[in-house]
Amino acid sequence: MKVFSGKTKNKIRFTTFSLCMVVAFVCLCLLHETNQKERDSNAAIRWKSDKQEFSYISVYMSPEENWKENDRNTLTSNLKMSFQQNSIINEDREDNNEGLIKDCFSCEGIMEFTNGKNTATAKVTATGGDFFFFHQPVWLSGFAYSDNDVMKDRAIIDKELSWQLFGGENVAGMPFKINGNTYYVAGVVDTSHLKEDKKAYGEINRAWLPYSAFCKEYQGNQASPGVTASNTDTGINNTSDTSTIPGTEETTNKIPITCYEIVLPNPVKEWALNLIQTSLNSKDRKMVIIENSKRTNFLYVMDNLKNFFYKTSGTQPVSYPYWENAAKVRDTKREIYTGILLIALIYPLLLFIRIITWIYKTIDGKIKKRMNKKHAYPL
């Protein structure tokens, strides 16, 4: 005895098909929305020329690697040499290979800011290179400082820190102090309103300071000259070599760089990624290399989806900054949406195959019937 009649079966099929298509459509919308939030990952698109493809790669390192500015300079020199060997030039300026690389570096630590009687603690991101090309905040007042500034005495603060120190947001150019040394507000930035960014950003105040100024003040905040300082925020142990001899330029220990970001040519798939991995010998070091330009790519998401249930197993040798943590949350969302999308498309695909098979059998049956009539002989 049949459980359902033919009409009931068709209604069930239609309802299931409609439900699956609605779920698939919602997942596609959520994927599009998540991809639109990935603003920091489009640095390669913003940097690329009309003819050349570029890749945006992030390298996150443990402080134990003790990676410094000299290591960055060595890396960029080796990359340019590789460009020459592979005849890769800037096609917009064929006289040299300038303009092939855009990079920046950073590390983090906690500092205390003061303005008169107002005092506030903030998490400071030390920046070098073109940091604000890669990470473009919403400016409430002022603008970014530059690596070319002669005086490294300007800082960027977020609106929460601005209100605590000055009681307002339009404070570009206003002075404040770190360890008794005077700095000036270059600009005030708004905190992101995206849910993933807000979670990763945290409740703490944040500021951005030139790398050389950060090294000077961070050491001054930790120890006196000649005393070993234990940095609990970056996991570094340094011995200060600050020179206080009058008439000589003050030198400070360089805090290890924990994040390096670069946009470089990618003439062949994964060429840039392999070049960075080889140049840094990353296999035997405590670092994680991520190709940001592929984050929204379907094949990249599918590759990550294979290891979805093993993402939390093991420990990473590095600590990610807030922008990477936010990006990883969006990575997880993309994987979930893609997984649900694929499951939702299974029934429509099977139904489509069944319909195609039925059409094929129907047409084939009619053709055979006509052929049989054509070749039939009357008895």
Side-chain angles (χ1 to χ4, degrees):
M1 185 177 70
K2 293 184 177 180
V3 179
F4 297 111
S5 65
K7 288 185 178 180
T8 306
K9 283 184 177 180
N10 289 336
K11 286 182 180 179
I12 293 173
R13 291 190 186 111
F14 178 76
T15 303
T16 306
F17 174 81
S18 301
L19 182 62
C20 287
M21 293 307 295
V22 168
V23 171
F25 177 76
V26 170
C27 286
L28 284 173
C29 292
L30 291 172
L31 277 170
H32 177 72
E33 182 187 3
T34 305
N35 291 342
Q36 291 296 108
K37 294 178 182 178
E38 211 64 70
R39 294 176 298 181
D40 284 352
S41 294
N42 65 6
I45 297 173
R46 286 185 274 116
W47 181 245
K48 69 176 288 186
S49 63
D50 293 334
K51 300 177 182 178
Q52 288 174 289
E53 290 295 327
F54 284 79
S55 182
Y56 170 27
I57 295 173
S58 296
V59 184
Y60 300 104
M61 293 163 278
S62 166
E64 296 175 25
E65 288 295 328
N66 206 29
W67 212 72
K68 306 289 182 61
E69 279 186 287
N70 287 339
D71 299 299
R72 176 244 190 161
N73 296 335
T74 301
L75 174 63
T76 54
S77 297
N78 291 339
L79 293 176
K80 290 179 180 180
M81 191 178 300
S82 296
F83 298 156
Q84 291 178 355
Q85 292 171 353
N86 290 276
S87 301
I88 298 175
I89 61 172
N90 185 338
E91 296 181 6
D92 292 333
R93 292 180 58 190
E94 297 185 1
D95 55 318
N96 55 43
N97 66 352
E98 293 299 319
L100 288 173
I101 290 177
K102 195 84 166 173
D103 71 342
C104 73
F105 57 90
S106 59
C107 58
E108 294 183 328
I110 302 292
M111 287 185 180
E112 192 173 82
F113 292 64
T114 59
N115 175 40
K117 295 181 179 180
N118 298 327
T119 301
T121 300
K123 192 162 192 176
V124 180
T125 301
T127 71
D130 294 293
F131 182 85
F132 296 102
F133 170 81
F134 291 88
H135 307 283
Q136 299 182 326
V138 177
W139 298 98
L140 297 176
S141 67
F143 51 88
Y145 53 75
S146 170
D147 231 25
N148 298 322
D149 290 349
V150 176
M151 300 294 291
K152 308 295 184 183
D153 62 349
R154 297 197 300 152
I156 293 167
I157 59 178
D158 67 9
K159 67 177 183 181
E160 284 77 13
L161 182 57
S162 178
W163 276 97
Q164 288 190 32
L165 290 178
F166 304 101
E169 297 171 359
N170 190 22
V171 296
M174 295 291 288
F176 63 91
K177 292 183 182 295
I178 304 175
N179 296 331
N181 296 318
T182 302
Y183 289 83
Y184 301 90
V185 178
V188 179
V189 300
D190 195 5
T191 52
S192 175
H193 299 289
L194 299 177
K195 185 177 180 180
E196 302 88 357
D197 291 342
K198 287 175 72 174
K199 286 286 186 181
Y201 194 87
E203 298 295 329
I204 191 171
N205 301 320
R206 288 188 181 268
W208 294 260
L209 199 66
Y211 178 70
S212 57
F214 175 87
C215 292
K216 171 187 173 182
E217 299 301 343
Y218 202 70
Q219 298 230 132
N221 194 36
Q222 295 296 318
S224 301
V227 180
T228 300
S230 176
N231 182 335
T232 58
D233 292 296
T234 57
I236 316 157
N237 287 326
N238 291 318
T239 302
S240 176
D241 62 352
T242 303
S243 173
T244 55
I245 301 174
T248 61
E249 183 179 355
E250 184 182 27
T251 60
T252 59
N253 283 340
K254 293 297 184 181
I255 307 299
I257 294 167
T258 54
C259 173
Y260 177 72
E261 301 169 89
I262 182 171
V263 170
L264 72 164
N266 189 38
V268 182
K269 184 180 179 181
E270 296 191 350
W271 184 86
L273 179 64
N274 292 331
L275 179 61
I276 293 293
Q277 289 174 337
T278 304
S279 300
L280 290 173
N281 191 23
S282 60
K283 188 177 180 181
D284 302 320
R285 303 178 68 180
K286 292 182 178 180
M287 58 177 60
V288 175
I289 300 178
I290 297 173
E291 187 171 2
N292 296 286
S293 355
K294 294 173 61 179
R295 285 198 121 113
T296 58
N297 185 281
F298 178 75
L299 294 178
Y300 178 84
V301 176
M302 286 297 296
D303 191 52
N304 286 342
L305 192 57
K306 296 175 186 176
N307 303 313
F308 182 81
F309 294 104
Y310 303 96
K311 290 175 72 172
T312 56
S313 62
T315 56
Q316 293 288 5
V318 301
S319 177
Y320 295 116
Y322 66 89
W323 60 83
E324 178 59 28
N325 284 326
K328 284 193 172 298
V329 171
R330 287 189 285 271
D331 282 345
T332 302
K333 285 186 174 183
R334 269 188 289 270
E335 291 159 21
I336 293 172
Y337 298 151
T338 302
I340 296 173
L341 173 65
L342 294 175
I343 293 171
L345 289 176
I346 290 176
Y347 181 77
L349 180 62
L350 293 175
L351 190 61
F352 177 75
I353 293 172
R354 183 171 180 176
I355 292 171
I356 293 297
T357 304
W358 177 80
I359 292 172
Y360 171 78
K361 287 181 178 180
T362 302
I363 294 173
D364 185 59
K366 287 183 178 181
I367 291 173
K368 287 180 178 179
K369 191 174 181 180
R370 287 185 180 183
M371 292 296 291
N372 290 337
K373 284 184 179 181
K374 185 177 180 180
H375 296 290
Y377 292 96
L379 297 175

